[in-house]
Amino acid sequence: MDFTQTLHDLIDFRSFSNLWYWIALAVTWSAASHRVLGIPFDMVMRARRLGGKAEQDLQDIVRVNVTRILYIGREAGVILMAMFSFVLTTLGLLGFLYRVEFCQAIFLIALPMSLVGLLSLATAARIEEHDEQGEVLRRRLSMHRIMVQAIGIVSIFVTAFWGMLQNMNLSILPG
């Protein structure tokens, strides 16, 4: 086996049969469910368990991240939404209409992550609107995490099903 063949196998754009894609998918959803509104979830658990300084630290970092998320949403939200919609539409068309597997793979990560982004924006708005603190804030962050995990489970299931279907289609095609 020569170097170019090894390199080609390592950087294979047939995503659903590539181990790196599945690792990236797992890391993406692991990170998304660990960081709630950009806050490591262990801070929420520590605040629940210890209270006091840990609770104050959580409220401070939530305030900073909520303010940041809402500022970005208010200042550049329309432009970001238009750009992201364009990218998602392009990926969707290239992937599913023109059958570019790499675009399908990216789309199957990007679409559910965009839902997580919208959910984060809505959660941040609720936290600011109700000036949530203490147990109410921890409950809101926990519910947000559960919803992100639910989106992740559905996304991984759909992606695995689609990837299996693609791999089976490639294996039965005449070579």
Side-chain angles (χ1 to χ4, degrees), residues 49-96:
R49 195 175 61 250
L50 300 175
K53 174 98 170 89
E55 182 79 33
Q56 187 60 47
D57 289 347
L58 176 65
Q59 288 180 189
D60 290 343
I61 197 165
V62 167
R63 181 184 48 77
V64 168
N65 284 355
V66 163
T67 303
R68 182 182 60 83
I69 290 168
L70 293 176
Y71 175 78
I72 292 169
R74 290 175 182 143
E75 294 297 317
V78 174
I79 293 169
L80 288 174
M81 182 68 87
M83 287 174 28
F84 205 69
S85 296
F86 172 76
V87 169
L88 276 177
T89 302
T90 302
L91 285 171
L93 288 173
L94 286 172
F96 297 101

Side-chain angles (χ1 to χ4, degrees), residues 27-37 113 116 144-145 148:
V27 167
T28 298
W29 285 109
S30 176
S33 68
H34 177 66
R35 290 193 159 277
V36 180
L37 299 179
M113 287 305 292
V116 170
H144 178 81
R145 182 178 193 221
V148 168

